[in-house]
Amino acid sequence: SDLDTGEGDYMRAFPPTVRNAAGTPVNPSYEAVNRAKRSIAVDLKQPAGREVLLRLARRADALIEGFRPGVLERLGLGWETLHAENPKLVVCSLSGYGQTGPLAQRAGHDLNYIAMTGVLDQARVDGEPAIPNLQMGDLLGGTLSALGMLLAALLAAQRTGQGRYVDVAMTDGLLAHHFFPHAELDAGSSPVAQRTLLTGGVACYRVYRTADGRHLAVGALEFKFWKAFCEAAGLPELAGRHWSRGEAPGSDAASATIARVADRIARKTSSEWEHVFSEVDCCVTPVLTPAEALAHPHHNARGLVRHQGEVTEVGPLAQVSGHAWTPAPAPAQGEHTRAILAECGLDAGAIDALVQSGVVREG
């Protein structure tokens, strides 16, 4: 469609936004996922734009695209063309439902992907599906699945000299990771949210309300942790009431144990319980708000939370020796167009011509 030509990344205008010192609206979500990147804006519908992309592909290790299936081929930039230009190039197509199959051309968002893979069915509150404020389809099914397969393909290209085409579907990644409910099915039972081992169907793995209206996450899944929890909570008589000792998830017996624990936890505040369990090795933590999590001493001791102007930066995903994480802002659309084209060997006159013809856009 031509309705959004030139729009760029919709997330730039996605709520919420804040204003920086200059009064310009800034989107924290966009900043979080695009920090330290560079941006070049190219119109691929123009032949000269196609040549710009081919010039970039010749010197690249990987190309990631998120069009609907078939768009690159229609633009004359499909896998065969790109592979011919650079045999070592890895091309990764990231989509909702994949490049093949009856839903390949269907539009969707995170909510649709978790719904279609059974994930949403297993996240319920009071029996109704609850939308988690963590985009599992986008991040787990999409970003992390793409990262893993892309790195594997890059390693193969490094060793063999041959690039690969990688077809990543967010639904594929979600379905592949949703193995606990699949195991329930293989065992002959139908997984019902809030009644299975990992969805709150047992007393040792649940969220409990405290006296001050806060919540405590009890993850005492192994018997040794459950025994320690019961002793610390003043419920030693419940130590034998554990799934590993025959108390089936979702059973009447499990419900009775849950009720006993819930009554006990409701007698103290969250901070009081935190004090009780601070020296007990039994997998109990408070349920923090996002603001409390960002301010928690542990996360800050790990250097995870920093501030870039009005935007909170969180990361990196892992601590890597010899690598220092330095926060940097996300780019404006086309902010680095000139610099990138110059790196590709184009002189100022050629870049000016591309800008003036609308083939590329400057930020």
Side-chain angles (χ1 to χ4, degrees), residues 123-130 193-194 199 206:
R124 291 177 177 258
V125 175
D126 297 329
E128 294 298 317
Q194 298 180 295
T199 63
R206 265 185 84 88

Side-chain angles (χ1 to χ4, degrees), residues 230-311:
C230 289
E231 291 173 355
L235 296 168
E237 70 277 11
L238 297 183
R241 306 288 293 272
H242 190 256
W243 65 269
S244 68
R245 298 300 191 266
E247 189 158 288
S251 65
D252 290 343
S255 296
T257 305
I258 289 168
R260 291 277 302 279
V261 176
D263 177 71
R264 178 63 176 161
I265 297 301
R267 298 181 187 182
K268 294 180 183 291
T269 66
S270 178
S271 60
E272 287 173 331
W273 282 121
E274 193 170 358
H275 177 72
V276 168
F277 291 112
S278 61
E279 301 299 326
V280 181
D281 191 25
C282 62
C283 308
V284 176
T285 55
V287 176
L288 302 180
T289 67
E292 290 170 336
L294 289 174
H296 196 279
H298 176 78
H299 304 317
N300 283 274
R302 296 274 292 168
L304 295 178
V305 184
R306 303 184 189 181
H307 298 280
Q308 182 74 241
E310 295 73 23
V311 176

Side-chain angles (χ1 to χ4, degrees), residues 74-162:
R74 291 198 296 274
L75 291 170
L77 294 165
W79 161 246
E80 298 297 337
T81 299
L82 293 168
H83 185 62
E85 292 288 334
N86 180 357
K88 289 187 67 174
L89 182 70
V90 173
V91 177
C92 176
S93 292
L94 177 56
S95 64
Y97 299 106
Q99 302 298 300
T100 60
L103 298 180
Q105 294 295 330
R106 186 76 63 88
H109 280 294
D110 186 273
L111 180 61
N112 306 115
Y113 308 142
I114 64 174
M116 284 293 296
T117 52
V119 174
L120 185 59
D121 176 77
Q122 296 294 293
R124 291 177 177 258
V125 175
D126 297 329
E128 294 298 317
I131 305 175
N133 200 11
L134 172 65
Q135 288 63 52
M136 291 182 283
D138 294 340
L139 301 175
L140 173 62
T143 302
L144 293 180
S145 295
L147 176 63
M149 298 309 297
L150 186 63
L151 290 175
L154 284 168
L155 182 61
Q158 183 185 65
R159 292 180 174 180
T160 67
Q162 290 297 307

Side-chain angles (χ1 to χ4, degrees), residues 146-204:
L147 176 63
M149 298 309 297
L150 186 63
L151 290 175
L154 284 168
L155 182 61
Q158 183 185 65
R159 292 180 174 180
T160 67
Q162 290 297 307
R164 304 288 182 91
Y165 178 68
V166 182
D167 171 8
V168 176
M170 297 183 212
T171 46
D172 290 3
L174 284 169
L175 201 64
H177 283 93
H178 208 206
F179 43 81
F180 280 111
H182 301 165
E184 294 269 355
L185 293 171
D186 287 343
S189 62
S190 179
V192 178
Q194 298 180 295
R195 295 186 63 81
T196 60
L197 182 64
L198 298 180
T199 63
V202 291
C204 67

